[in-house]
Amino acid sequence: MNKSKAAILNRRTVLAAAGAATAALAAPRILRAQGKELVVGGAASHKNFVETIIAPVVEKKFSCKVVFEGSRSLVNLEKMQKNKDKQYLSVVMMDDPVMIPAVAEGLLDPLTAAKVPNLAALKPGTIHMDGMWCNYLQPWLGIAYNPKVMKVAPTSWADVYDPKYKGRVILPSLQNTEGLANLFMAAFLATGKPMAEAQKDIDAGFKKLVTIKPNLLTAYTQMPQAYNLLEQGEGFMISSAISQVALERKAAGAPVEIAVPKEGIFAMPSGVALVKGGPQPELAAGYINEMIGPEIQAKLSAATYSLPTNKDTPVPAGAPTNATIFGIDWKFVADNRADWVKRWDRDMAM
């Protein structure tokens, strides 16, 4: 073979090899484009309903893969803080009080009707800080009780103060988000003010709350301990119990019911937001839009014993339909909670 032919063959070989290498390098990008991933951060307890209810709908509609990372709200906040320059989470599902510092640090993108059309169908009071986040569910707070030892259900938040329940009432600590409802309701009962005003009268709330101490069996930070006491009949009531937890215990056969007091119920914070600078922003907005749409809302609310936030979604069987739902000023909570916990530890010590 002469030198010119060899040169041509060598050149062709190099070009072919280069082309193959380029194709090999390009292939992963093509695969990634075909198999888009959306990483969602949320509470570990949300894993089941995200993977069985939300993800299948989103994955089918958008030809993507939803990857759920379960932890705690504060852990998700830390992830966004540490990765601010290169976020890998696209959506966060966090408690409302944790959304507030996320907004302050510029970690969230606002939700708009253009990006998330189903926002227009949400109940009043479920879109916060001009769309920085919205609520996708309303687990509610009432009074859990053991029907074996309480033949008549409690009808009022005031019932837990009745002297006949000495040593039989269980309260969540103010370290637990559900515990805030007892403080605000104490102020409501003591002052007669509308709840929006009463929840700001913290001194009146504590003065009323300390009068429950003779009735107090325990104040918990760990929920399983509280339900063990309730189910054994040592505790008669858990004041400010989460509907999802109480009704899951009932469904499992435990002697637990939850009452809707005549004054009203509180909604627990269940927020969802877009991560600023997160990957796949359009897909992330689509995830939230589906999540608050009527199809997923109906399944979610039934599976979690919660109230839907989409006003066009029917309330699931057994859920309160006409009860007043009290809103909570989470900015006020975030600004003052540390001081309230200190006062709780001092005033409610047994």
Side-chain angles (χ1 to χ4, degrees):
M1 183 181 297
N2 61 38
K3 289 183 179 180
S4 61
K5 286 185 178 179
I8 292 170
L9 286 173
N10 286 339
R11 184 170 177 272
R12 287 175 179 170
T13 303
V14 169
L15 289 173
T22 301
L25 290 171
R29 288 196 292 272
I30 294 168
L31 288 174
R32 283 197 294 271
Q34 291 173 342
K36 297 175 291 186
E37 279 192 352
L38 182 75
V39 184
V40 177
S45 59
H46 296 163
K47 181 179 175 67
N48 182 58
F49 71 70
V50 168
E51 293 185 347
T52 62
I53 296 176
I54 304 172
V57 174
V58 172
E59 290 175 348
K60 182 178 180 180
K61 182 166 184 174
F62 298 105
S63 299
C64 68
K65 174 65 178 176
V66 174
V67 178
F68 182 74
E69 287 195 0
S71 55
R72 293 181 295 114
S73 290
L74 286 172
V75 173
N76 287 314
L77 177 62
E78 290 168 4
K79 289 177 181 177
M80 289 189 289
Q81 291 167 332
K82 291 177 181 177
N83 295 284
K84 190 170 184 178
D85 295 333
K86 192 175 182 181
Q87 299 285 6
Y88 75 95
L89 293 174
S90 294
V91 175
V92 284
M93 298 163 60
M94 305 193 301
D95 291 346
D96 290 30
V98 183
M99 292 289 190
I100 292 167
V103 173
E105 294 182 38
L107 299 173
L108 304 180
D109 256 346
L111 305 172
T112 65
K115 292 187 287 190
V116 185
N118 281 325
L119 281 178
L122 293 187
K123 297 176 184 175
T126 58
I127 302 172
H128 305 277
M129 296 185 75
D130 297 321
M132 295 309 296
W133 80 91
C134 69
N135 296 127
Y136 61 91
L137 273 182
Q138 288 183 322
W140 52 276
L141 301 175
I143 301 175
Y145 66 100
N146 184 328
K148 289 186 175 180
V149 293
M150 283 190 69
K151 303 302 182 185
V152 178
T155 59
S156 167
W157 290 98
D159 289 352
V160 297
Y161 292 88
D162 192 318
K164 69 182 179 182
Y165 297 119
K166 182 178 180 179
R168 298 296 189 179
V169 175
I170 301 167
L171 297 183
S173 162
L174 285 193
Q175 294 181 48
N176 295 50
T177 300
E178 71 269 24
L180 294 165
N182 286 312
L183 177 60
F184 299 152
M185 182 50 65
F188 180 85
L189 294 173
T191 65
K193 295 177 181 177
M195 181 56 72
E197 297 176 31
Q199 67 180 281
K200 305 292 179 68
D201 198 339
I202 296 303
D203 191 54
F206 272 109
K207 286 179 179 178
K208 173 68 174 176
L209 198 55
V210 295
T211 66
I212 205 174
K213 287 174 70 173
N215 286 6
L216 201 56
L217 172 62
T218 189
Y220 71 85
T221 55
Q222 301 299 319
M223 204 177 297
Q225 171 202 7
Y227 276 87
N228 284 339
L229 291 170
L230 182 70
E231 291 166 24
Q232 292 166 7
E234 192 170 346
F236 284 16
M237 291 181 279
I238 299 176
S239 183
S240 188
I242 303 172
S243 59
Q244 182 177 355
V245 178
L247 293 172
E248 282 178 353
R249 293 301 305 138
K250 176 184 177 180
V256 176
E257 295 281 358
I258 186 166
V260 178
K262 63 184 181 183
E263 295 86 359
I265 55 179
F266 292 83
M268 282 289 282
S270 297
V272 63
L274 292 171
V275 178
K276 187 174 184 178
Q280 309 282 3
E282 292 183 3
L283 181 56
Y287 175 95
I288 294 176
N289 193 56
E290 293 303 311
M291 189 179 192
I292 61 174
E295 178 188 352
I296 287 181
Q297 284 275 294
K299 294 176 181 178
L300 266 186
S301 57
T304 61
Y305 304 98
S306 302
L307 298 172
T309 55
N310 185 309
K311 61 179 183 285
D312 298 325
T313 304
V315 173
T321 54
N322 298 313
T324 298
I325 302 175
F326 296 120
I328 292 175
D329 185 338
W330 294 111
K331 178 66 166 61
F332 183 65
V333 171
D335 291 343
N336 296 282
R337 189 172 180 179
D339 291 335
W340 299 346
V341 171
K342 291 177 184 176
R343 185 167 177 180
W344 166 278
D345 291 342
R346 183 183 70 243
D347 292 1
M348 298 299 289
M350 300 290 284

Short mmCIF file of all heavy atoms in Angstrom, two decimals, residues 145-172:
data_model
loop_
_atom_site.label_atom_id
_atom_site.label_comp_id
_atom_site.label_asym_id
_atom_site.label_seq_id
_atom_site.Cartn_x
_atom_site.Cartn_y
_atom_site.Cartn_z
N TYR A 145 -60.13 10.82 71.23
CA TYR A 145 -60.57 10.26 72.52
C TYR A 145 -60.74 8.75 72.39
O TYR A 145 -60.83 8.20 71.28
CB TYR A 145 -61.87 10.91 72.99
CG TYR A 145 -63.08 10.63 72.13
CD1 TYR A 145 -64.01 9.66 72.48
CD2 TYR A 145 -63.30 11.34 70.95
CE1 TYR A 145 -65.12 9.39 71.70
CE2 TYR A 145 -64.41 11.09 70.15
CZ TYR A 145 -65.32 10.11 70.53
OH TYR A 145 -66.42 9.84 69.74
N ASN A 146 -60.75 8.10 73.54
CA ASN A 146 -60.94 6.66 73.59
C ASN A 146 -62.41 6.37 73.91
O ASN A 146 -62.87 6.65 75.02
CB ASN A 146 -60.04 6.06 74.68
CG ASN A 146 -60.11 4.54 74.72
OD1 ASN A 146 -61.15 3.95 74.45
ND2 ASN A 146 -59.01 3.90 75.12
N PRO A 147 -63.18 5.84 72.95
CA PRO A 147 -64.61 5.64 73.17
C PRO A 147 -64.93 4.55 74.20
O PRO A 147 -66.06 4.48 74.69
CB PRO A 147 -65.13 5.26 71.78
CG PRO A 147 -63.94 4.67 71.08
CD PRO A 147 -62.76 5.40 71.60
N LYS A 148 -63.94 3.75 74.54
CA LYS A 148 -64.19 2.73 75.57
C LYS A 148 -64.29 3.35 76.96
O LYS A 148 -64.99 2.81 77.82
CB LYS A 148 -63.08 1.68 75.55
CG LYS A 148 -63.12 0.76 74.34
CD LYS A 148 -62.08 -0.35 74.46
CE LYS A 148 -62.19 -1.35 73.31
NZ LYS A 148 -61.19 -2.44 73.44
N VAL A 149 -63.58 4.45 77.16
CA VAL A 149 -63.62 5.08 78.48
C VAL A 149 -64.41 6.39 78.47
O VAL A 149 -64.77 6.90 79.53
CB VAL A 149 -62.19 5.34 79.02
CG1 VAL A 149 -61.49 4.02 79.30
CG2 VAL A 149 -61.36 6.18 78.06
N MET A 150 -64.67 6.93 77.28
CA MET A 150 -65.52 8.11 77.15
C MET A 150 -66.71 7.74 76.28
O MET A 150 -66.61 7.70 75.06
CB MET A 150 -64.74 9.28 76.50
CG MET A 150 -63.79 9.98 77.44
SD MET A 150 -63.13 11.53 76.70
CE MET A 150 -64.60 12.57 76.71
N LYS A 151 -67.80 7.43 76.93
CA LYS A 151 -68.98 6.99 76.18
C LYS A 151 -69.64 8.14 75.42
O LYS A 151 -70.36 7.91 74.44
CB LYS A 151 -69.99 6.37 77.14
CG LYS A 151 -69.44 5.19 77.95
CD LYS A 151 -68.93 4.08 77.04
CE LYS A 151 -68.43 2.89 77.85
NZ LYS A 151 -67.83 1.84 76.98
N VAL A 152 -69.40 9.37 75.88
CA VAL A 152 -69.93 10.55 75.20
C VAL A 152 -68.75 11.34 74.64
O VAL A 152 -67.81 11.67 75.38
CB VAL A 152 -70.75 11.43 76.15
CG1 VAL A 152 -71.25 12.69 75.42
CG2 VAL A 152 -71.92 10.65 76.72
N ALA A 153 -68.79 11.63 73.38
CA ALA A 153 -67.69 12.33 72.73
C ALA A 153 -67.59 13.77 73.22
O ALA A 153 -68.61 14.41 73.53
CB ALA A 153 -67.89 12.32 71.22
N PRO A 154 -66.38 14.31 73.32
CA PRO A 154 -66.25 15.74 73.64
C PRO A 154 -66.87 16.59 72.54
O PRO A 154 -66.83 16.22 71.35
CB PRO A 154 -64.73 15.95 73.72
CG PRO A 154 -64.13 14.82 72.95
CD PRO A 154 -65.07 13.67 73.08
N THR A 155 -67.47 17.70 72.93
CA THR A 155 -68.14 18.57 71.96
C THR A 155 -67.51 19.94 71.85
O THR A 155 -67.85 20.71 70.95
CB THR A 155 -69.62 18.74 72.32
OG1 THR A 155 -69.72 19.31 73.63
CG2 THR A 155 -70.35 17.40 72.30
N SER A 156 -66.63 20.27 72.79
CA SER A 156 -66.04 21.60 72.84
C SER A 156 -64.58 21.51 73.27
O SER A 156 -64.19 20.60 74.03
CB SER A 156 -66.80 22.49 73.82
OG SER A 156 -66.09 23.68 74.10
N TRP A 157 -63.77 22.46 72.81
CA TRP A 157 -62.38 22.53 73.28
C TRP A 157 -62.34 22.80 74.79
O TRP A 157 -61.36 22.48 75.46
CB TRP A 157 -61.65 23.64 72.54
CG TRP A 157 -61.38 23.36 71.10
CD1 TRP A 157 -62.11 23.78 70.03
CD2 TRP A 157 -60.30 22.60 70.54
NE1 TRP A 157 -61.56 23.33 68.85
CE2 TRP A 157 -60.44 22.61 69.13
CE3 TRP A 157 -59.22 21.91 71.10
CZ2 TRP A 157 -59.55 21.96 68.28
CZ3 TRP A 157 -58.33 21.27 70.25
CH2 TRP A 157 -58.49 21.29 68.86
N ALA A 158 -63.42 23.38 75.32
CA ALA A 158 -63.47 23.66 76.76
C ALA A 158 -63.60 22.39 77.59
O ALA A 158 -63.30 22.39 78.79
CB ALA A 158 -64.65 24.60 77.06
N ASP A 159 -64.03 21.28 76.99
CA ASP A 159 -64.24 20.04 77.74
C ASP A 159 -62.96 19.54 78.40
O ASP A 159 -63.01 18.92 79.47
CB ASP A 159 -64.78 18.94 76.82
CG ASP A 159 -66.23 19.20 76.40
OD1 ASP A 159 -66.86 20.14 76.94
OD2 ASP A 159 -66.72 18.47 75.51
N VAL A 160 -61.82 19.79 77.79
CA VAL A 160 -60.57 19.26 78.37
C VAL A 160 -60.20 19.96 79.67
O VAL A 160 -59.34 19.48 80.42
CB VAL A 160 -59.40 19.36 77.36
CG1 VAL A 160 -59.68 18.50 76.15
CG2 VAL A 160 -59.10 20.80 76.96
N TYR A 161 -60.88 21.09 79.97
CA TYR A 161 -60.64 21.80 81.23
C TYR A 161 -61.58 21.34 82.34
O TYR A 161 -61.44 21.76 83.49
CB TYR A 161 -60.81 23.31 81.02
CG TYR A 161 -59.75 23.93 80.14
CD1 TYR A 161 -59.90 23.97 78.75
CD2 TYR A 161 -58.59 24.48 80.69
CE1 TYR A 161 -58.93 24.54 77.94
CE2 TYR A 161 -57.61 25.05 79.88
CZ TYR A 161 -57.78 25.08 78.51
OH TYR A 161 -56.82 25.63 77.71
N ASP A 162 -62.56 20.50 82.02
CA ASP A 162 -63.54 20.04 83.01
C ASP A 162 -62.84 19.25 84.11
O ASP A 162 -62.11 18.30 83.82
CB ASP A 162 -64.58 19.17 82.32
CG ASP A 162 -65.79 18.88 83.18
OD1 ASP A 162 -65.62 18.61 84.39
OD2 ASP A 162 -66.92 18.88 82.64
N PRO A 163 -63.06 19.59 85.40
CA PRO A 163 -62.38 18.91 86.50
C PRO A 163 -62.62 17.39 86.56
O PRO A 163 -61.82 16.67 87.15
CB PRO A 163 -62.95 19.59 87.75
CG PRO A 163 -63.41 20.94 87.28
CD PRO A 163 -63.88 20.73 85.86
N LYS A 164 -63.69 16.91 85.92
CA LYS A 164 -63.96 15.47 85.97
C LYS A 164 -62.92 14.67 85.18
O LYS A 164 -62.86 13.44 85.29
CB LYS A 164 -65.37 15.16 85.48
CG LYS A 164 -65.61 15.37 84.00
CD LYS A 164 -67.07 15.08 83.66
CE LYS A 164 -67.39 15.31 82.19
NZ LYS A 164 -68.82 15.07 81.88
N TYR A 165 -62.11 15.37 84.40
CA TYR A 165 -61.06 14.68 83.63
C TYR A 165 -59.68 14.87 84.27
O TYR A 165 -58.66 14.87 83.57
CB TYR A 165 -61.06 15.17 82.19
CG TYR A 165 -62.35 14.86 81.47
CD1 TYR A 165 -63.15 15.87 80.96
CD2 TYR A 165 -62.79 13.54 81.32
CE1 TYR A 165 -64.34 15.60 80.32
CE2 TYR A 165 -63.98 13.25 80.69
CZ TYR A 165 -64.75 14.28 80.18
OH TYR A 165 -65.95 13.99 79.56
N LYS A 166 -59.67 14.99 85.59
CA LYS A 166 -58.40 15.17 86.29
C LYS A 166 -57.43 14.03 85.97
O LYS A 166 -57.77 12.85 86.08
CB LYS A 166 -58.66 15.21 87.81
CG LYS A 166 -57.39 15.46 88.63
CD LYS A 166 -57.72 15.55 90.11
CE LYS A 166 -56.44 15.79 90.91
NZ LYS A 166 -56.72 15.91 92.39
N GLY A 167 -56.24 14.40 85.53
CA GLY A 167 -55.20 13.42 85.24
C GLY A 167 -55.46 12.56 84.01
O GLY A 167 -54.81 11.52 83.83
N ARG A 168 -56.37 12.99 83.13
CA ARG A 168 -56.75 12.14 81.99
C ARG A 168 -56.50 12.79 80.62
O ARG A 168 -56.77 12.17 79.59
CB ARG A 168 -58.24 11.79 82.09
CG ARG A 168 -58.61 10.99 83.33
CD ARG A 168 -57.92 9.63 83.31
NE ARG A 168 -58.42 8.75 84.37
CZ ARG A 168 -58.00 7.50 84.58
NH1 ARG A 168 -57.04 7.00 83.78
NH2 ARG A 168 -58.49 6.78 85.55
N VAL A 169 -56.00 14.01 80.60
CA VAL A 169 -55.86 14.75 79.34
C VAL A 169 -54.39 14.75 78.90
O VAL A 169 -53.48 14.94 79.71
CB VAL A 169 -56.37 16.19 79.49
CG1 VAL A 169 -56.10 17.00 78.21
CG2 VAL A 169 -57.86 16.20 79.82
N ILE A 170 -54.19 14.53 77.63
CA ILE A 170 -52.85 14.53 77.03
C ILE A 170 -52.75 15.73 76.08
O ILE A 170 -53.66 15.97 75.28
CB ILE A 170 -52.60 13.22 76.25
CG1 ILE A 170 -52.73 12.02 77.19
CG2 ILE A 170 -51.23 13.24 75.56
CD1 ILE A 170 -52.81 10.69 76.46
N LEU A 171 -51.64 16.47 76.19
CA LEU A 171 -51.41 17.60 75.29
C LEU A 171 -50.09 17.41 74.55
O LEU A 171 -49.13 16.89 75.11
CB LEU A 171 -51.30 18.92 76.08
CG LEU A 171 -52.50 19.43 76.87
CD1 LEU A 171 -52.14 20.80 77.48
CD2 LEU A 171 -53.73 19.55 76.00
N PRO A 172 -50.01 17.88 73.32
CA PRO A 172 -48.71 17.98 72.65
C PRO A 172 -47.95 19.19 73.18
O PRO A 172 -48.54 20.23 73.48
CB PRO A 172 -49.06 18.14 71.17
CG PRO A 172 -50.45 18.67 71.16
CD PRO A 172 -51.12 18.25 72.43
#
